[in-house]
Amino acid sequence: MPPMPENPYSIAQAAGAAIRERLGAHRAVLVLGSGWAEVAEGIGEIRASVPMPELPGFPAPSVQGHSGMAHSVDVGGVPLLVLAGRSHLYEGHPVATVVHGVRSAVLCGCEVVMLTNACGSLVAANGPGTPVLISDQLNLTGVTPMGGADPPEGFPARFCDLTELYSPRLRAAAAA
């Protein structure tokens, strides 16, 4: 797998431009984790699709349950960018590759980022398939997604306040 360039923002800017060119403009992105690939078809009309590896900096997915497609989905007249797959640290990808999809979506105009994943729980009632809303997390990986070259204007500094990383407004909307 090829390494990301020294400045991961430059390839994310190229990917953002390719997303706009091939899929149109979007203000929100939904990144689908393991097992969620088929959700895109159920949330609205898919208007356009492109294999993610055809976009700059996106590797082909290797985890089961990721289709590796980027879709423009019409959700009640609102265009939603849906990334049906992502890369992971445990696959051996560097952090810059793992966060590339979100960086690219933001650089193509997305102001809202929603992430899904398959996760475990310490609550016995939360068995497989139980939807949960994450309110906080512990990063035990020893790496930070904020690394890399200096971010372009509009991106947070490498050391930013993450106390409200998960928007209370969006979490309330999802719970409703």
Side-chain angles (χ1 to χ4, degrees):
M1 122 189 29
M4 291 292 285
E6 280 191 37
N7 184 345
Y9 296 98
S10 62
I11 196 157
Q13 287 171 326
I19 290 168
R20 279 191 309 277
E21 179 182 312
R22 297 190 65 182
L23 297 175
H26 303 87
R27 291 189 56 219
V29 60
L30 173 62
V31 181
L32 300 175
S34 304
W36 287 81
E38 303 305 317
V39 168
E41 298 170 8
I43 59 175
E45 179 184 348
I46 297 177
R47 298 292 180 127
S49 298
V50 62
M52 290 166 60
E54 290 183 13
L55 300 169
F58 283 89
S62 63
V63 173
Q64 184 177 359
H66 292 282
S67 73
M69 296 296 293
H71 304 286
S72 180
V73 179
D74 182 290
V75 182
V78 176
L80 174 67
L81 176 62
V82 177
L83 301 179
R86 62 173 176 243
S87 57
H88 307 83
L89 287 174
Y90 63 76
E91 295 174 276
H93 292 290
V95 173
T97 301
V98 173
V99 301
H100 179 68
V102 171
R103 280 186 177 150
S104 300
V106 169
L107 288 169
C108 84
C110 293
E111 299 171 1
V112 174
V113 176
M114 299 164 284
L115 305 172
T116 68
N117 71 308
C119 66
S121 176
L122 297 176
V123 178
N126 292 342
T130 303
V132 297
L133 287 172
I134 297 174
S135 61
D136 200 357
Q137 70 185 46
L138 295 174
N139 181 353
L140 302 176
T141 66
V143 296
T144 174
M146 303 304 287
D150 289 330
E153 179 126 359
F155 259 84
R158 283 198 207 133
F159 301 101
C160 57
D161 180 3
L162 298 177
T163 55
E164 292 196 29
L165 177 63
Y166 300 103
S167 164
R169 179 184 61 84
L170 291 176
R171 292 183 77 250

